């Protein structure tokens, strides 16, 4: 959600870097974009500012002919919170003098009080945003004789809420930045230095990064970067090297990132499994959790009772967490799953023996981070399951398991969901019996199983047949239930069609009233539990009696085909693993429906890749 890029240096032209950076952040979702550049002549003139509602192409059209030279610059892709999409509400925002420009992610909770004070002091505002108070606060501090860095610190000290904020001042070659509960990362280059909300913004220029923690400030100059605390004390930082190749973030000939990422799933899962499963011994060993059984025992040594594990997550990650909780329950561990945004308000009991697992692709999801922080304060052990090395979740939790899916650009998660399921399968084994040869064989069969689905799927033909449907239902039981929920979410996200997913047994408790001959039902039916296939087939008969077409996603064609209009077949690789393959069929159906409808598949309306506000 929202994207920040900042740059200063003697290398590439500032405007070129900013526009390249904004392009690299488009996947996060946005409705306007803008840039601000300071004069290389170090004059006291205005900051050059360009911003437009709409896509990046609108901003590009607004730029003057030729390159806009500059000493330092900041750019932003906005996803509206305070005020609708418009040129005025787009970032960057400036002060009354036009000498200070600011970009900001997050929400400033006390902006109304600050704005009222500033307006009373004679400041004029041009937008409806919370962000605009920041440049005016800096303006006041500059007028009081403070240096640009001092003025920036003074302004930030008055902010309440969440923020990643960056500023430039006319006549200065420095970009100033700070973060609190919203991500910022610094890029260390050869002839210039960067800051951004995410690595893809500058990965074309450097793979050397420094991650900022909450409460830290950064100054980025042509000569280097420095990190300090709120009092200005220098913080020693380490430079990490990102393992992403810039080519990994390209489309590689595919029409959409989403389709590319669906087809990347076999390799993503091989990466997730690598050096973590041993086929000969049948064991699962996650190196980053070495010795975890001593810190997260699943059995209380005092009374022999299993210790509770709580999952917190949002959206697609929540569906993965539902899957993970069931895996643990099937192994005798009392595991629960909570929507992260509701976790604190539900007042969920947390004891010293509780482990709270946050599942978050980006490692920056605001609701999940809040839940993890609340759990940590209550005395729980915390563990992050995430894709991003160096993310807030990875740094703040007691333990971390990386899913190793590689960069995912499409807003609708695909390969990260499958990789989360695989990582949680290994986590469940690591926390309990350490795995078995049967489990390891099933896990190793997933990449080839997905490849077979990709090679043989009839999803495109089914999508064409049902593209004009009024709505879509997705049902399943057991391990199929989270996959059905995810199938419905994918359909909603990228087709803008109404879709519902629920455990199959819930069909008769209300949703059946909506079933017609124009509401196809996608029934995921894999053979993972005694009686589940026959029970779900009973639900299939219920919708067929109301005239609804049925598409079965199954590894039991022999049992299911007589009751379905279409069958999307998957290989049978194991009770808990076959549903991972079924999910791929549902991803393909949603993709091809959206493609037939001409939707913006990689950047669906109103959605953001990383949701960094609560």
């Amino acid at each position: 959600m929202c994207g920040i890029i900042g740059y200063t240096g003697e290398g590439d032209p500032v405007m070129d870097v900013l526009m390249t950076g904004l392009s690299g952040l488009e996947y996060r979702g946005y409705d306007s974009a803008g840039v601000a550049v300071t004069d290389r002549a170090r004059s006291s003139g205005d900051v050059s500012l360009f911003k437009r509602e709409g896509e990046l192409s609108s901003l590009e059209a607004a730029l003057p002919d030729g390159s806009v030279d500059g000493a330092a610059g900041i750019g932003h892709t906005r996803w509206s919170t305070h005020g609708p999409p418009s040129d005025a509400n787009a970032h960057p925002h400036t002060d009354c003098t036009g000498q200070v420009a600011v970009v900001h992610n997050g929400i400033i909770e006390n902006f109304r009080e600050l704005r009222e004070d500033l307006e009373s002091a004679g400041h004029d505002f041009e937008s409806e945003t919370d962000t605009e108070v920041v440049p005016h606060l800096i303006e006041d501090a500059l007028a009081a004789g403070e240096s640009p860095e001092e003025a920036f610190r003074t302004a930030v000290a008055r902010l309440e809420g969440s923020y990643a904020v960056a500023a430039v001042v006319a006549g200065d070659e420095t970009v100033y930045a700070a973060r609190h509960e919203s991500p910022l990362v610094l890029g260390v280059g050869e002839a210039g230095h960067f800051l951004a909300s995410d690595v893809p913004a500058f990965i074309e220029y450097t793979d050397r990064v420094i991650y900022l923690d909450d409460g830290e400030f950064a100054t980025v100059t042509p000569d280097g970067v420095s990190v300090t605390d709120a009092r200005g004390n220098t913080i020693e930082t380490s430079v990490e090297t990102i393992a992403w190749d810039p080519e990994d973030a390209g489309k590689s000939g595919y029409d959409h990132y989403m389709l590319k990422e669906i087809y990347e799933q076999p390799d993503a899962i091989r990466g997730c499994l690598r050096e973590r499963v041993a086929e000969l011994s049948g064991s699962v060993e996650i190196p980053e959790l070495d010795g975890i059984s001593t810190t997260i025992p699943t059995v209380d040594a005092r009374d022999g009772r299993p210790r509770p594990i709580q999952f917190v997550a949002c959206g697609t990650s929540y569906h993965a967490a539902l899957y993970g909780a069931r895996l643990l329950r099937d192994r005798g561990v009392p595991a629960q799953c909570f929507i992260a945004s509701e976790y604190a308000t539900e007042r969920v009991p947390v004891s010293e023996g509780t482990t709270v697992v946050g599942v978050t692709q980006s490692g920056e999801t605001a609701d999940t981070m809040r839940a993890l922080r609340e759990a940590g304060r209550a005395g729980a052990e915390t563990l992050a399951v995430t894709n991003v090395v160096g993310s807030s979740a990875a740094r703040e939790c007691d333990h971390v398991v990386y899913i190793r899916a590689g960069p995912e650009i499409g807003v609708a998660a695909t390969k990260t969901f499958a990789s989360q399921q695989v990582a949680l399968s290994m986590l469940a084994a690591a926390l309990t019996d350490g795995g078995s040869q049967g489990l390891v064989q099933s896990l190793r069969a997933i990449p080839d199983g997905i490849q077979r689905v990709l090679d043989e799927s009839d999803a495109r033909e089914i999508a064409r047949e049902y593209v004009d449907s009024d709505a879509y239902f997705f049902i399943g039981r057991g391990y199929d239930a989270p996959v059905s929920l995810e199938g419905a979410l994918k359909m909603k996200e990228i087709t803008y069609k109404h879709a519902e997913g629920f455990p199959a047994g819930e069909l008769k408790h209300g949703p059946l009233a909506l079933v017609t001959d124009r509401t196809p039902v996608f029934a995921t039916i894999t053979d993972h539990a005694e009686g589940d296939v026959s029970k779900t087939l009973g639900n299939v008969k219920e919708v067929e009696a109301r005239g609804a077409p049925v598409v079965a996603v199954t590894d039991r064609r022999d049992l299911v085909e007589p009751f379905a209009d279409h069958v999307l077949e998957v290989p049978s690789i194991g009770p808990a693993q076959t549903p991972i393959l079924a999910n791929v069929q549902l991803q393909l159906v949603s993709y091809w429906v959206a493609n037939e409808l001409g939707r913006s598949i990689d950047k669906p309306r109103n959605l953001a890749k990383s949701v960094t506000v609560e």
Side-chain angles (χ1 to χ4, degrees):
M1 182 179 294
C2 300
I4 289 173
I5 177 67
Y7 173 72
T8 180
E10 302 298 329
D12 296 87
V14 171
M15 186 62 75
D16 291 352
V17 174
L18 296 181
M19 295 304 292
T20 299
L22 294 182
S23 178
L25 293 170
E26 282 190 289
Y27 74 97
R28 294 170 68 92
Y30 69 106
D31 50 45
S32 58
V35 291
V37 178
T38 64
D39 190 343
R40 191 173 292 280
R42 301 193 183 189
S43 70
S44 59
D46 294 347
V47 171
S48 298
L49 178 70
F50 309 92
K51 55 183 184 174
R52 286 293 183 272
E53 175 190 353
E55 297 197 351
L56 205 54
S57 57
S58 299
L59 174 62
E60 290 171 336
L63 298 177
D65 293 336
S67 177
V68 179
D69 192 22
I74 51 177
H76 192 266
T77 53
R78 177 181 188 247
W79 192 87
S80 298
T81 53
H82 294 72
S86 68
D87 289 354
N89 288 332
H91 295 212
H93 291 287
T94 57
D95 67 328
C96 295
T97 68
Q99 295 189 11
V100 178
V102 168
V103 293
H104 159 243
N105 292 349
I107 293 178
I108 299 171
E109 295 174 356
N110 63 333
F111 87 98
R112 293 189 185 279
E113 305 96 283
L114 293 173
R115 181 164 177 155
E116 288 172 1
D117 291 346
L118 289 163
E119 287 177 328
S120 297
H123 289 268
D124 294 323
F125 285 77
E126 298 180 355
S127 78
E128 302 170 67
T129 69
D130 54 339
T131 303
E132 196 179 357
V133 299
V134 183
H136 291 282
L137 291 172
I138 295 173
E139 177 189 2
D140 272 359
L142 289 171
E146 295 184 8
S147 69
E149 181 176 354
E150 292 169 338
F152 180 75
R153 290 179 181 278
T154 296
V156 171
R158 296 190 63 183
L159 306 181
E160 297 175 6
S162 62
Y163 52 79
V165 60
V168 291
V169 179
D172 195 344
E173 294 182 313
T174 304
V175 181
Y176 304 95
R179 70 156 282 178
H180 178 66
E181 297 183 356
S182 192
L184 271 181
V185 59
L186 307 178
V188 181
E190 295 296 328
H193 304 286
F194 310 79
L195 69 85
S197 46
D198 206 353
V199 171
F202 55 69
I203 193 63
E204 286 192 29
Y205 301 98
T206 183
D207 58 1
R208 301 172 66 226
V209 303
I210 298 170
Y211 293 99
L212 287 187
D213 286 322
D214 279 355
E216 293 182 347
F217 289 72
T219 54
V220 183
T221 72
D223 298 324
V225 299
S226 64
V227 179
T228 56
D229 63 18
R231 296 182 177 180
N233 300 313
T234 299
I235 296 174
E236 295 297 325
T237 59
S238 59
V239 178
E240 300 181 27
T241 300
I242 294 296
W244 293 0
D245 187 310
E247 291 297 318
D248 291 342
K251 291 183 183 177
S252 302
Y254 289 90
D255 289 339
H256 298 95
Y257 285 112
M258 181 179 179
L259 186 61
K260 170 180 176 270
E261 288 155 4
I262 289 172
Y263 274 81
E264 285 177 340
Q265 288 178 111
D267 283 341
I269 290 171
R270 289 187 185 100
C272 184
L273 294 171
R274 189 172 296 120
E275 297 178 352
R276 289 170 165 176
V277 293
E279 200 148 8
L280 289 177
S281 63
S283 62
V284 173
E285 297 178 1
I286 305 176
E288 55 261 52
L289 296 185
D290 187 31
I292 193 171
S293 59
T294 61
T295 53
I296 306 183
T298 53
V299 176
D300 194 317
R302 294 168 297 181
D303 55 20
R305 293 181 179 178
R307 287 188 167 185
I309 291 182
Q310 299 170 353
F311 288 86
V312 292
C314 308
T316 289
S317 294
Y318 174 71
H319 301 152
L322 287 171
Y323 174 84
R326 185 178 181 93
L327 286 168
L328 282 166
R329 289 196 299 272
D330 282 352
R331 291 170 174 265
V333 178
Q336 297 173 282
C337 190
F338 299 92
I339 294 175
S341 59
E342 291 292 302
Y343 183 75
T345 59
E346 287 186 33
R347 304 185 186 279
V348 179
V350 174
S351 64
E352 189 176 332
T354 303
T355 298
V356 178
V357 180
V359 185
T360 161
Q361 185 281 134
S362 67
E364 304 292 351
T365 310
D367 291 317
T368 304
M369 289 307 304
R370 181 191 176 198
L372 288 167
R373 289 165 180 148
E374 293 273 353
R377 283 192 285 268
E381 197 87 2
T382 57
L383 187 154
V385 178
T386 184
N387 193 38
V388 182
V389 176
S391 60
S392 295
R395 296 196 313 277
E396 293 184 28
C397 286
D398 299 308
H399 310 278
V400 60
V401 173
Y402 291 112
I403 68 172
R404 301 176 180 172
E408 185 177 68
I409 305 302
V411 167
T414 52
K415 66 176 180 177
T416 53
F417 177 62
S419 297
Q420 285 171 338
Q421 290 175 297
V422 172
L424 290 171
S425 297
M426 292 188 291
L427 177 64
L431 292 178
T432 53
D433 59 11
S436 65
Q437 286 187 334
L439 171 63
V440 169
Q441 289 170 2
S442 292
L443 291 173
R444 285 200 178 279
I446 293 173
D448 288 344
I450 291 178
Q451 191 61 57
R452 180 174 160 187
V453 170
L454 295 171
D455 292 342
E456 300 175 2
S457 177
D458 296 324
R460 188 170 192 175
E461 289 70 28
I462 290 171
R464 285 172 175 160
E465 181 160 351
Y466 296 113
V467 67
D468 294 324
S469 298
D470 293 338
Y472 304 85
F473 283 179
F474 296 78
I475 62 172
R477 290 176 183 266
Y479 289 113
D480 294 334
V483 168
S484 296
L485 294 175
E486 177 63 12
L489 180 60
K490 283 293 148 291
M491 185 68 78
K492 280 183 273 199
E493 284 179 316
I494 63 171
T495 72
Y496 314 155
K497 291 268 198 169
H498 178 70
E500 283 195 57
F502 36 81
E506 285 296 292
L507 186 67
K508 55 188 174 292
H509 296 289
L512 200 58
L514 299 176
V515 170
T516 72
D517 60 357
R518 293 185 55 79
T519 54
V521 176
F522 289 81
T524 301
I525 311 173
T526 63
D527 196 5
H528 54 71
E530 185 74 25
D532 276 1
V533 170
S534 60
K535 288 177 183 177
T536 308
L537 285 176
N539 303 128
V540 165
K541 293 174 185 176
E542 289 176 323
V543 299
E544 281 190 323
R546 276 78 181 174
V550 174
V551 179
V553 185
T554 185
D555 60 341
R556 292 301 306 272
R557 179 185 282 271
D558 57 326
L559 293 178
V560 174
E561 193 164 33
F563 306 98
D565 296 276
H566 306 275
V567 172
L568 290 170
E569 195 167 7
V570 297
S572 182
I573 61 171
Q577 290 72 45
T578 303
I580 298 175
L581 310 186
N583 168 64
V584 178
Q585 291 280 25
L586 298 180
Q587 291 173 345
L588 289 168
V589 170
S590 294
Y591 172 83
W592 289 117
V593 171
N595 193 64
E596 289 288 322
L597 293 169
R599 303 302 193 215
S600 177
I601 291 175
D602 288 331
K603 294 179 285 184
R605 68 187 182 197
N606 303 332
L607 299 181
K609 182 66 175 173
S610 179
V611 183
T612 55
V613 295
E614 295 181 30

